[in-house]
Amino acid sequence: MKKLQLIGLVILYTLLSNTAFAIALKDIKGKVIDASNKQTLPGATIFIPDLKVSAVTNNDGEFSLNNLPSKGSYLVEVHYVGYKTATQIVNFASANTLEFSLQPTAIETKEIVITGSIISSTSKRNSASSAVLGKDQLLAPSTNLIDALTKIPGVSQITTGPSISKPVIRGLGYNRIVTLDDGIKQQGQQWGDEHGIEIDQFKSDRIEVLRGAASLMYGSDALGGVINILEPSTAPEGQVKGEFITNYSTNNGLTANSLMLNGNENGFVWRARGTYKNAYSFKTPTGYFPNSGFNETDLSGMVGLNKSWGYSHLNVSSFRNNIGFYEPTLDANDNFVKEDGEAFITSDYKNRDLDYPRQDIRHFKIALNNNFILGNGNLKADFGYQQNQRRELEDGPEPALFFDFKTYTADLKYYLHETNGWQPVIGLSADAGRSENKANDEFLIPNYNTYGIGVFAFAKKNWEKNTFSIGARYDFRKNNGKQLFVDDEEVFAPFQNKFSNVSGALGFTHQFNEEWNFKANAGSAFRAPNPAELASNGVHEGTFRYEIGNTNLSPERSYQIDAALEYEGKIVSASASIYNNYIHNFIYASNNGETITAEGDEYPVYRYGQVNANLYGAEATLTIHPVPFIHFENTFGYVHAQNTSLNRPLAFIPAGTLRNELRFEPKIKGTNDAYLSVGINSAFKQTRVDQVFETPTSGYTLLNAGIGATFNLGKQPVKLSVSANNLLDQKYYDALSRFKPGRFDSENPNLGVYNAGRNITFGLYVPFTLAK
């Protein structure tokens, strides 16, 4: 009932905002043309990120942006396939008509506006190391949202089979990565090995990845980077648009279906999406891994207003995922068998009804996103409520372990009027969370309350071909852990921690000319210990270990520098970046041979402690278009991570990767965007592991291939694709797979499960317009 009341109040507030902030209206018209021959470009997309306003050019290449503020300067971006993205800062007070001249390019047009940093700007004017995945890349075959992001150099994933992926950026994961969805920090159980990201992989048209410390804007937990999941652009005025997506994968029978509709009527915007995914057990080159299927149901919607005073959008989402688990049992021939020793048969592997044990994960979220134009500035205000429920079901529907985590967040940023090229921003953020154990059988972390508040100031200066940015932030966090007795024995002692920190950042960019660009950053960041690190005391199901926290942990403090050089020509585009991240009081759990008997079994004990760590590495991209129909893309990423206190490698660090893809893109009559691709994904061996409790992995090379095209059925485009991953059915262990040898049982390090074998995915994508 409380949730329904909260939704009703927020909807009422959203609708009433139209009169509360009403200011003068303005319409801006314009045209988009080819810079080389001056011909108009119908179907080009015009977008204003900070106002969430979009338009599409008509058959004459003309567009109209309505109900805009009558003053203020905003970044406008224009996209068209086969052309470089154009951007321009437009002063609405003096602008009545606009003309954009787009440059043809053989290199695929790139999304170059970054909104996840404090001030939206083009990538060349943004010092943060960043990458963007657009709709086409997100539609490529992947088992979940994070799996899709691993195409970006420097981004990898900790996996528990195909169903669970946790993001890793430059060697850092868990609570060191912030995921933004609907403008607020995703709050779940980020600290856990076998916990994924509770977000529909199809909900976004565009995802930005900021590599490196971003604590200045997002506070604690952003040591490694930020994944910014952006809601789709609103439909152009007077239109109702939609899309249908369906995929089928042969390896685990994964079916994924998603339907979305969105509309815009006189500035009243809305969107609704439903997604369902279902898979049975995944298959390795040596056979199926039992009870590793999953099913996922996602529902989301948005209502809001885009008006002259800005915008106000209410997003609501419900995510539910059921994931099967299997605690390996072997017979005399080292084959997986059931607990009673009975052999699995094919129907067991392909049964979509999950057996026990399994997870039942539910995530409900409300986010209210606003941008109000006030005086000569504007106020961005994001408010969120989240409830994350995680049930561990061992023998039946009654959970043995049940976390219920509720979070309230608020984030305010006021953008002052630009003066002499300076763009100042001040901000305030706050959050409050409460976690409860609602099961009576097993306990891992105590009930706790957590509170945080942060304030920051930031300024950015643009002049000629240079950009300079500077900022500082203060954060305070408090954790209160609750005492718990079971059978007169204290399981959790009460505790209270308070942490505070001052962070700072400097950034610089220089554009030598149209082709060459340089950027660099230096700064500090911090992360407060989370309650799992502070007070765990129990068996962590799915990780096969007993974890013990440490209430005396200190905050992590990071000192990071990075630099990048970028080139974008007519035939070749390339980038190279280097970075170094020193982390004082790095927190991690380790085992030194200690074991404990719990729940009738013996488990290795992992205790949380702290060391100093240093991570450095490099990333590079090279894209070559010798002729318009040949596309050769290459990416490289490597991170070197050292426990400097004990003079040994840090555990669970990704191996170096090299990805190569050759695409043939012919012009075929009756089709658009036709392609045939062959790719090689290579990972180097990872021998830099903590030998005390981790095993090394060998290098591997995977062959991938794909074919696809867009066909027109009348006026309706239909995109078909077929993609094959691990085409040769290569046996391999990824360095970050939790199923690699030694991760199940420290006493039997030869027990391991290969990563998924050959997988062929058939895809269908249908974008459509219902009203225009």
Side-chain angles (χ1 to χ4, degrees):
M1 187 64 185
K2 289 182 179 179
K3 291 180 184 177
L4 295 177
Q5 291 174 344
L6 179 59
I7 295 173
L9 288 173
V10 173
I11 291 174
L12 180 63
Y13 164 77
T14 303
L15 298 178
L16 292 179
S17 295
N18 186 33
T19 57
F21 293 93
I23 62 175
L25 301 176
K26 186 179 183 73
D27 295 339
I28 296 179
K29 299 183 182 299
K31 180 183 291 187
V32 180
I33 63 173
D34 184 310
S36 60
N37 58 26
K38 307 304 179 183
Q39 291 185 355
T40 58
L41 298 176
T45 301
I46 299 89
F47 184 53
I48 307 175
D50 289 331
L51 296 178
K52 297 187 183 294
V53 172
S54 65
V56 177
T57 56
N58 59 22
N59 291 334
D60 296 321
E62 298 172 343
F63 66 89
S64 177
L65 295 165
N66 303 320
N67 296 325
L68 298 177
S70 60
K71 57 184 178 179
S73 296
Y74 295 89
L75 181 68
V76 180
E77 56 180 299
V78 183
H79 306 277
Y80 194 73
V81 176
Y83 290 78
K84 286 186 177 181
T85 297
T87 62
Q88 182 179 332
I89 301 292
V90 177
N91 186 336
F92 285 4
S94 57
N96 294 306
T97 60
L98 300 173
E99 183 173 284
F100 293 93
S101 299
L102 303 191
Q103 296 285 346
T105 178
I107 302 291
E108 268 76 1
T109 185
K110 295 183 178 180
E111 305 276 0
I112 62 171
V113 174
I114 305 299
T115 63
S117 54
I118 294 178
I119 296 176
S120 299
S121 64
T122 65
S123 178
K124 292 182 178 180
R125 289 283 188 176
N126 192 314
S127 64
S129 176
S130 56
V132 177
L133 287 187
K135 189 69 176 181
D136 287 345
Q137 294 159 303
L138 291 171
L139 285 175
S142 56
T143 58
N144 55 59
L145 178 67
I146 303 305
D147 184 43
L149 299 181
T150 57
K151 305 175 182 69
I152 297 172
V155 179
S156 46
Q157 58 180 329
I158 297 172
T159 61
T160 308
S163 58
I164 298 177
S165 296
K166 297 185 73 68
V168 175
I169 300 177
R170 292 181 171 178
L172 298 176
Y174 302 96
N175 281 86
R176 300 179 183 95
I177 300 296
V178 165
T179 300
L180 287 180
D181 182 37
D182 297 331
I184 63 173
K185 292 168 69 171
Q186 181 81 359
Q187 297 285 4
Q189 314 291 338
Q190 296 100 313
W191 47 268
D193 284 67
E194 79 292 7
H195 305 159
I197 302 295
E198 303 90 353
I199 298 174
D200 180 358
Q201 78 173 94
F202 297 118
K203 72 174 296 184
S204 178
D205 286 344
R206 166 188 165 104
I207 297 179
E208 300 172 351
V209 176
L210 306 183
R211 293 167 293 204
S215 292
L216 190 66
M217 183 172 179
Y218 302 109
S220 176
D221 293 5
L223 263 68
V226 173
I227 296 171
N228 186 23
I229 301 169
L230 301 172
E231 62 175 322
S233 303
T234 55
E237 173 70 34
Q239 294 193 20
V240 177
K241 302 175 74 68
E243 66 180 22
F244 174 67
I245 302 168
T246 185
N247 293 329
Y248 175 77
S249 299
T250 59
N251 181 276
N252 58 351
L254 172 63
T255 59
N257 301 282
S258 185
L259 176 65
M260 184 272 287
L261 294 172
N262 71 343
N264 181 349
E265 185 61 40
N266 194 30
F268 175 76
V269 294
W270 58 271
R271 181 177 62 254
R273 180 184 289 278
T275 297
Y276 180 72
K277 298 165 67 176
N278 186 286
Y280 51 74
S281 299
F282 77 92
K283 187 178 184 181
T284 77
T286 58
Y288 287 95
F289 184 59
N291 200 38
S292 57
F294 65 95
N295 59 76
E296 178 184 316
T297 304
D298 308 317
L299 299 173
S300 62
M302 181 274 289
V303 292
L305 293 171
N306 289 356
K307 294 294 183 178
S308 60
W309 45 260
Y311 66 80
S312 187
H313 291 182
L314 175 69
N315 284 276
V316 180
S317 65
S318 174
F319 174 99
R320 181 167 182 178
N321 198 5
N322 294 285
I323 304 172
F325 280 90
Y326 172 66
E327 298 181 6
T329 303
L330 303 179
D331 63 13
N333 297 317
D334 290 337
N335 296 314
F336 293 126
V337 294
K338 302 177 182 179
E339 285 188 3
D340 59 7
E342 182 182 350
F344 287 102
I345 58 177
T346 301
S347 60
D348 293 322
Y349 297 128
K350 295 192 175 183
N351 186 354
R352 294 179 184 267
D353 296 326
L354 303 177
D355 291 329
Y356 298 101
R358 68 181 191 226
Q359 283 186 348
D360 180 356
I361 304 155
R362 306 177 191 186
H363 194 96
F364 175 77
K365 177 165 52 184
I366 304 174
L368 179 63
N369 311 118
N370 310 279
N371 189 357
F372 301 125
I373 298 169
L374 300 175
N376 289 326
N378 61 294
L379 174 68
K380 286 188 177 181
D382 297 312
F383 305 97
Y385 166 78
Q386 299 174 72
Q387 181 180 30
N388 183 279
Q389 294 183 321
R390 188 170 300 275
R391 298 168 172 85
E392 305 284 353
L393 312 177
E394 290 192 357
D395 303 311
E398 243 351 89
L401 197 67
F402 185 174
F403 300 131
D404 189 312
F405 186 35
K406 297 182 179 71
T407 312
Y408 301 85
T409 57
D411 186 78
L412 305 175
K413 293 186 287 291
Y414 185 70
Y415 294 74
L416 287 79
H417 180 66
E418 180 178 330
T419 304
N420 296 325
W422 284 98
Q423 297 174 275
V425 184
I426 54 176
L428 167 70
S429 60
D431 67 84
R434 176 177 177 81
S435 179
E436 295 181 280
N437 289 300
K438 291 193 171 181
N440 298 316
D441 293 345
E442 299 177 8
F443 305 93
L444 175 59
I445 59 175
N447 294 342
Y448 69 86
N449 296 329
T450 181
Y451 312 92
I453 189 168
V455 293
F456 75 86
F458 177 85
K460 187 175 183 179
K461 167 72 171 177
N462 294 312
W463 76 98
E464 297 178 352
K465 296 185 177 182
N466 303 295
T467 302
F468 173 74
S469 60
I470 184 171
R473 180 185 179 100
Y474 171 79
D475 280 285
F476 172 81
R477 177 153 298 280
K478 178 181 178 181
N479 295 313
N480 289 332
K482 308 300 182 181
Q483 188 177 38
L484 176 67
F485 282 90
V486 176
D487 298 330
D488 297 325
E489 181 179 349
E490 186 181 56
V491 179
F492 300 113
F495 72 90
Q496 183 180 103
N497 299 93
K498 297 179 180 180
F499 307 105
S500 61
N501 181 77
V502 175
S503 303
L506 297 171
F508 176 75
T509 71
H510 176 71
Q511 189 173 348
F512 297 100
N513 50 44
E514 286 296 320
E515 288 80 27
W516 290 96
N517 190 69
F518 172 79
K519 58 179 64 179
N521 296 277
S524 65
F526 107 113
R527 182 181 77 87
N530 62 61
E533 296 164 334
L534 292 166
S536 292
N537 186 26
V539 176
H540 192 164
E541 297 293 344
T543 67
F544 309 97
R545 66 192 197 187
Y546 193 100
E547 296 183 1
I548 298 178
N550 181 352
T551 56
N552 295 316
L553 295 175
S554 300
E556 295 180 342
R557 187 67 183 259
S558 166
Y559 303 91
Q560 184 167 182
I561 58 173
D562 63 55
L565 185 64
E566 300 171 337
Y567 173 80
E568 185 171 353
K570 295 181 179 179
I571 295 177
V572 174
S573 67
S575 68
S577 61
I578 56 174
Y579 60 89
N580 188 86
N581 191 1
Y582 174 79
I583 303 177
H584 184 63
N585 287 328
F586 182 86
I587 301 170
Y588 77 115
S590 61
N591 170 261
N592 293 310
E594 180 184 2
T595 62
I596 192 171
T597 300
E599 303 172 10
D601 295 307
E602 187 175 35
Y603 293 91
V605 175
Y606 280 70
R607 295 181 180 271
Y608 282 97
Q610 294 186 279
V611 295
N612 295 329
N614 193 66
L615 299 93
Y616 63 85
E619 295 140 4
T621 66
L622 174 64
T623 302
I624 305 173
H625 246 312
V627 291
F629 54 87
I630 296 294
H631 173 89
F632 186 38
E633 183 173 354
N634 310 270
T635 65
F636 169 79
Y638 174 76
V639 57
H640 181 284
Q642 183 75 4
N643 178 336
T644 57
S645 296
L646 301 178
N647 194 29
R648 66 191 194 202
L650 284 181
F652 232 39
I653 297 298
T657 58
L658 179 64
R659 294 173 178 266
N660 315 97
E661 183 183 56
L662 180 64
R663 288 168 61 95
F664 176 57
E665 301 167 336
K667 299 294 183 182
I668 301 176
K669 187 177 181 180
T671 67
N672 296 311
D673 305 324
Y675 71 90
L676 174 65
S677 68
V678 177
I680 296 176
N681 290 352
S682 301
F684 306 128
K685 63 181 179 180
Q686 180 56 290
T687 57
R688 290 187 48 77
V689 298
D690 193 325
Q691 299 286 354
V692 176
F693 57 93
E694 187 185 12
T695 55
T697 53
S698 301
Y700 59 86
T701 298
L702 307 180
L703 178 64
N704 306 318
I707 187 171
T710 299
F711 302 87
N712 290 319
L713 301 179
K715 294 184 178 181
Q716 175 60 55
V718 176
K719 185 173 184 177
L720 300 174
S721 63
V722 181
S723 301
N725 291 334
N726 193 5
L727 193 58
L728 301 181
D729 210 25
Q730 175 74 34
K731 292 189 294 186
Y732 73 100
Y733 298 111
D734 187 85
L736 295 191
S737 170
R738 293 187 55 255
F739 286 161
K740 72 177 185 177
R743 295 296 293 178
F744 277 124
D745 185 351
S746 60
E747 295 182 358
N748 185 6
N750 293 321
L751 178 60
V753 178
Y754 289 111
N755 283 74
R758 182 186 299 111
N759 186 29
I760 300 175
T761 300
F762 302 88
L764 170 68
Y765 173 63
V766 183
F768 55 87
T769 300
L770 294 179
K772 191 172 183 178

